[in-house]
Amino acid sequence: MPSPALAAFIRALPKAELHLHLEGSVTPKLARRLARRRGVVLPGVDLEDEAADLRDAFPFVDFSGFLRLYLAIASCLHEAEDFAEIVEDLGDRLAAQGVGYAEVTFTPALHRHRGLADAPMLEGLAEGRRRVLERHDLLLRWVLDVVRIFPEQAEPTLGFALALQARDPGAVVGLGLGGPEDRPHEVAPLRETFARARAEGLHSLPHAGELDGPVRIWEALRELGAERIGHGVRCLDDPALVEHLVREGIPLEVCPSSNVCLGVVPSLAEHPLPRLLDAGLRVSLGSDDPPLFQTDLQQEYERVADAFGWGPSRLRALAGASIEHAFMPAERARRMQAALAAVPAPPGHEGREAS
Ligand SMILES: [Zn+2]
């Protein structure tokens, strides 16, 4: 692991978190509390064993096991206060890592599917966001996520996004797209919804090129007008695509630990992050579903520093990229970039900012 001085430096860097799922950010402790409150059984989780190791509390071995657990956690959320609480808890953890702005993905279709009305979700998200901004210098904005294999949920998800925006102006940054990429599905039916979202001033922020290859990224660009790609790490399989992404300046949200946990790459050491940067692609780091992948944004920076021998200048540049690739108010971006430039290099690195 990096030296304590380098870890402290990373924590001090003002950062934006651009790839993070609200439902996937619930910690085992919070999941236990919500599950007990709502009488939900979490598969493989002992609700009484507060001391259980994270790895034991959230066990899964593949994407389908991951999805089962994800859905079980989501099923603990019932009332507005449940949603407000998970937002508040996430805000506390992000602020402690030096995050000043986050675009957090929320998937209304998951909760609608189990019969939940929109009202508690809308109220809980707005209230949680308000509490976070009151307590920390941290602005949260939402990406509302369409589930790829349920295209019929696209329009209701856009409706939810617009209702949330009306209730809490400025709260919604865009429309996302998630779920299994490698199962048969059509993106074309989503085209119209994404076009309408863009006409409403929302950004197009789909996942693509994680569980499937370049074809999904091309599709996201051509059919959905993607402005930033969730993951996208498999773009390297197609040089023409890399050239296109570089030329158009389309950023990728890269989540190294998530990729290792879900078997997208065999190990962190073999992660394509250095190759993505060498190819001239615009990249920021994200934590995706941090407790499920035993990580957080701070640890993602620490792990890549360790895996690739990166020092302060490379890490500062990654934090700067996260601010640049965010759709945040210009004044906050300016303030965060200024604060970023002012963070002193850690002891032992002064004057040289080793890369
Ligand atoms: Zn994701």
Side-chain angles (χ1 to χ4, degrees):
M1 290 314 284
S3 68
L6 194 60
F9 170 77
I10 292 169
R11 201 170 295 279
L13 297 175
K15 295 175 281 296
E17 162 66 279
L18 305 180
H19 196 112
L20 173 65
H21 297 260
L22 179 63
E23 297 92 331
S25 75
V26 175
T27 61
K29 189 176 169 195
L30 190 51
R32 283 193 188 95
R33 193 165 83 215
L34 292 164
R36 274 201 297 262
R37 183 189 295 168
R38 303 299 176 200
V40 172
V41 175
L42 294 175
V45 176
D46 179 354
L47 293 182
E48 302 309 321
D49 185 2
E50 295 286 350
D53 181 69
L54 284 181
R55 211 168 290 270
D56 301 332
F58 278 172
F60 63 89
V61 292
D62 55 15
F63 192 70
S64 64
F66 163 74
L67 270 186
R68 265 199 305 282
L69 180 61
Y70 196 91
L71 296 175
I73 293 170
S75 72
C76 297
L77 303 164
H78 287 252
E79 307 286 337
E81 183 54 29
D82 301 339
F83 290 97
E85 252 178 71
I86 64 170
V87 176
E88 207 178 350
D89 187 75
L90 174 62
D92 290 346
R93 281 177 282 133
L94 290 174
Q97 297 167 63
V99 175
Y101 174 85
E103 293 177 8
V104 183
T105 294
F106 178 70
T107 312
L110 271 188
H111 308 286
R112 281 189 167 146
H113 185 69
R114 58 188 178 87
L116 198 70
D118 285 356
M121 298 190 259
L122 292 167
E123 191 185 327
L125 296 185
E127 172 61 15
R129 191 174 99 98
R130 190 192 63 75
R131 289 182 197 167
V132 169
L133 193 56
E134 194 177 78
R135 193 181 305 167
H136 307 288
D137 182 17
L138 166 58
L139 181 66
L140 301 183
R141 298 183 78 198
W142 306 112
V143 177
L144 285 314
D145 204 23
V146 174
V147 181
R148 205 174 264 277
I149 53 173
F150 303 123
E152 71 283 1
Q153 279 293 329
E155 276 299 312
T157 300
L158 175 57
F160 183 95
L162 298 178
L164 183 55
Q165 191 78 303
R167 183 190 183 105
D168 183 6
V172 180
V173 68
L175 205 59
L177 179 67
E181 275 183 273
D182 45 358
R183 294 236 294 266
H185 66 281
E186 279 293 323
V187 172
L190 306 172
R191 187 193 297 128
E192 204 168 308
T193 306
F194 274 78
R196 289 216 305 119
R198 295 200 310 279
E200 293 283 355
L202 302 183
H203 296 286
S204 171
L205 307 168
H207 288 58
E210 174 197 15
L211 302 165
D212 201 357
V215 61
R216 296 284 163 244
I217 304 175
W218 280 120
E219 207 172 60
L221 295 165
R222 289 171 175 158
E223 307 284 348
L224 310 177
E227 294 162 84
R228 209 173 59 212
I229 303 283
H231 297 290
V233 289
R234 295 185 56 182
C235 69
L236 290 172
D237 299 347
D238 179 350
L241 175 59
V242 171
E243 197 188 309
H244 178 86
L245 291 168
V246 170
R247 192 173 56 241
E248 299 296 317
I250 307 278
L252 309 180
E253 307 148 10
V254 175
C255 310
S257 294
S258 162
N259 294 156
V260 174
C261 283
L262 294 179
V264 176
V265 299
S267 70
L268 198 59
E270 291 158 273
H271 195 281
L273 178 60
R275 284 185 287 135
L276 294 167
L277 291 168
D278 288 347
L281 288 153
R282 306 175 76 207
V283 170
S284 67
L285 292 182
S287 59
D288 211 1
D289 302 292
L292 298 175
F293 303 137
Q294 283 92 42
T295 190
D296 59 21
L297 192 61
Q298 169 78 21
Q299 288 183 65
E300 291 303 288
Y301 278 75
E302 291 184 13
R303 288 175 191 179
V304 301
D306 201 40
F308 307 121
W310 289 346
S313 68
R314 187 62 84 106
L315 299 168
R316 195 193 298 272
L318 278 170
S322 73
I323 300 167
E324 218 175 277
H325 305 170
F327 293 104
M328 77 172 91
E331 167 53 24
R332 178 170 291 265
R334 195 201 53 73
R335 196 154 52 79
M336 285 177 67
Q337 291 286 15
L340 177 72
V343 176
H349 295 274
E350 304 95 330
R352 57 191 179 96
E353 283 259 318
S355 66

